[in-house]
Amino acid sequence: MSDGNAIELRDVVKQFGDVYAVDHVSLRIRDGEFFSMLGPSGCGKTTTLRMIAGFEYPTSGEISIHGREMSTTPPHQRPVNTVFQSYALFPHMTVAQNVAFGLEMKRIAKSEIGPRVQEALDQVRLTGFAERRPRQMSGGQQQRVALARALVNSPEVLLLDEPLGALDQKLRKELQLELKGLQRRVGITFIFVTHDQEEALTMSDRIAVMSQGKVLQVGSPTEIYERPTCKFVADFIGETNFIDGTVIEHGDNYATIETADGLKLRGITPRPVAIGEAATLSIRPEKVRMFAPGDAKAEHAFTLPVKVELVSYIGSDTRVTVRLNPQRTLDVWEQNTFSTLDRDAYWQPGEPAVLVCPPDNALVLTE
Amino acid sequence: MALNTLERERQRRERRNLTLLLSPGLLWLVLFFALPLLIILVYSFMTNGPRGNIVWQFTLEQYSTLFTRSIYVNAYLRSIWVSLLTTLACLLLGYPLALFIVRQPARWRTPLLFLILIPFWTNFLVRIYAWQIILSNNGLINSALNSLGLPQLNLLNTEGATLLGLVYGELPFMVLPLYAAIDRFDFTLLEAAADLGASRWRGFLRVMLPMTMPGIAAGSVLVFIPTLGQFVVSELLGGAKVDYLGNLIQRLFLRSNPPNWPLGSAMAMAMMLVLLVLILLYFRSTTEEDR
């Protein structure tokens, strides 16, 4: 009866007083996938996770775990385990006692608990730490204890609430890869809550982008980055340039807009548009190309005349801010595929330039 | 070399300052605590004269009386028993109360704690007299029962009234340390316990209870110690029907004719011994927690 779905949320609402923390969310999380819920703080991602764990019950709607309706099942009766943002390790217990806790609660035989705890600690590379207290360990080690304490119960789904949030950047990167590798090995469904888009893109099979209690888009990292269906997602994931205009012409999956200045630009339409509709062209800084005026390569149907305003050399890239009109600047990132000290090879502030916006690299968004 | 002298000079000055700061308190403690205690200790080994005077002759008679005469042995057992009951009752009432206050929104917590402290604004004796008025045969409760046509209850001058008065008086001393301990408790840990399959009760037993144990220990010590030596409540609410340690000591010093200071002193010393053992146990439990 599970249809390959580990978790299914049907029209789930969570209200706190008058506030909709989660606003009619429906999601299907497949068995064995690494699923991320991504959004700014207060978007409802943690509340959604807490409802799956059972710490909160939905105001309305249904939550199923492997096809069993569990909206109001208390947390200790759900086949899921959580890795908390603060780790929530029991400070009065040793690492081994922490990891054994879930097995003891399930009344697993004592003789079986020892080896399983050992195995779980080996899995997170904490062999030999069994008798330590949590407070004698570093943040990264505590994080792994939390992981072992959850995984030892062989949950059907593992819930992770910003588990890397408290760690420094370098450790984060390491643990991201480790976590992804672990998920592949154990084959358990991971639901990962984060506000860090890079983290979500690196680790996830699919991502749900949330804002103000709503799921705006669900898709693979490439889909989310390359085909955002609304301005919020385009803006929240990575960086992008927005140019406002009106739809003057469209096909099945593309549309052309005209700006107030009379410039025409074309892009892909993830959702149907209508002529005369207000729309925004979204094009990412690395997907624009910039040439000197008169350069043969600047001969293109969709170009923007601009003036270079700011040039930031950051090693691998040069990031250029150009001015389109008095109200609007655009960002252009050019990879430094050459190696030279010649100043003329780089853009200089004040230079005129032409931006080429290939329609395949741009999106026309109406929401 | 010069640095060394400087350092020594600094240490010397620091020690002098410390002595200066500590001396008023030390003087106070020596004069009004250590010295009287020493006097009591000495008295407890002396002989009682025929007119209640102290005869300076060493004897262990007082202590042997304490441990052989049933009136004293019973008073000890009764006092320890009633102190245990009071402590337990305060714990059972105080823990949910402290937990309730901690779980309130921040702006309510201080007023609620304040409410617990308000009784201290009135003299303890006055408050115990108020209980007399509530419990007496024509008091508040019995008048109410009377007007409802229900039979009168004999409430005042019972051991129940003593226990009630003791719990009433000591409850704040239990609630405050419990509040401090529960306030420090991270309630996410209960969610973690539930997440790992613990029912609410098991989560409480395995996680919250051990982690708030320092508060339980502190509150229990604070309640047990004064209760063990009390004599006011059992006299005013219990009607002095049964003897508690405090009542006997008070009587031996002030009311008996002739008084018996050596025996009273020996009783006080024996009581201190009980408390000393208890406090040592308490310190052991807290230092283990801090390890």
Side-chain angles (χ1 to χ4, degrees), chain A residues 27-49:
Chain A
L27 278 177
R28 283 180 177 174
I29 298 162
R30 293 173 202 139
D31 217 355
E33 85 177 322
F34 198 120
F35 189 88
S36 289
M37 292 194 282
L38 172 66
S41 58
C43 71
K45 57 191 193 296
T46 294
T47 308
T48 306
L49 195 79

Side-chain angles (χ1 to χ4, degrees), chain A residues 15 27 64 121 169 173 191 208 247 257 273 296 303 335 349 366:
Chain A
Q15 265 178 286
L27 278 177
S64 305
L121 287 177
Q169 196 56 39
K173 288 255 153 50
I191 304 181
V247 177
I257 65 160
V273 297
T303 58
Q335 230 188 337
T366 52

Side-chain angles (χ1 to χ4, degrees), chain B residues 158-178:
Chain B
T158 59
E159 290 198 60
T162 306
L163 192 62
L164 178 79
L166 287 173
V167 172
Y168 161 78
E170 302 299 334
L171 191 58
F173 297 106
M174 181 62 92
V175 172
L176 295 180
L178 279 178

Side-chain angles (χ1 to χ4, degrees), chain B residues 99-114 179 183:
Chain B
L99 178 58
F100 171 80
I101 298 175
V102 170
R103 294 305 265 172
Q104 295 313 299
R107 69 200 151 97
W108 284 112
R109 271 179 251 156
T110 315
L112 284 169
L113 279 178
F114 189 68
Y179 176 84
D183 193 40

Side-chain angles (χ1 to χ4, degrees), chain B residues 44-204:
Chain B
S44 72
F45 290 106
M46 293 299 136
T47 313
N48 199 37
R51 283 166 289 108
N53 55 328
I54 287 154
V55 176
W56 298 96
Q57 192 182 352
F58 179 85
T59 174
L60 288 173
E61 183 201 331
Q62 316 302 352
Y63 286 96
S64 73
T65 311
L66 281 189
F67 294 113
T68 49
R69 298 250 328 257
S70 65
I71 173 174
Y72 299 113
V73 175
N74 285 345
Y76 268 103
L77 295 178
R78 191 179 294 121
S79 282
I80 291 173
W81 173 240
V82 96
S83 299
L84 283 175
L85 276 185
T86 306
T87 308
L88 192 69
C90 283
L91 188 60
L92 291 179
L93 288 171
Y95 204 102
L97 182 58
L99 178 58
F100 171 80
I101 298 175
V102 170
R103 294 305 265 172
Q104 295 313 299
R107 69 200 151 97
W108 284 112
R109 271 179 251 156
T110 315
L112 284 169
L113 279 178
F114 189 68
L115 282 180
I116 288 181
L117 291 173
I118 273 187
F120 288 124
W121 290 11
T122 313
N123 181 285
F124 183 63
L125 270 180
V126 174
R127 287 183 280 141
I128 292 302
Y129 281 124
W131 274 108
Q132 275 193 343
I133 295 169
I134 296 170
L135 299 173
S136 72
N137 283 351
N138 38 23
L140 222 59
I141 293 176
N142 276 316
S143 312
L145 290 174
N146 212 10
S147 63
L148 291 170
L150 294 165
Q152 181 175 298
L153 290 174
N154 191 19
L155 299 170
L156 193 60
N157 301 338
T158 59
E159 290 198 60
T162 306
L163 192 62
L164 178 79
L166 287 173
V167 172
Y168 161 78
E170 302 299 334
L171 191 58
F173 297 106
M174 181 62 92
V175 172
L176 295 180
L178 279 178
Y179 176 84
I182 297 174
D183 193 40
R184 273 198 306 268
F185 179 73
D186 173 10
F187 283 86
T188 318
L189 295 179
L190 282 187
E191 285 187 350
D195 187 73
L196 293 166
S199 62
R200 291 173 73 118
W201 176 241
R202 288 231 275 170
F204 172 76

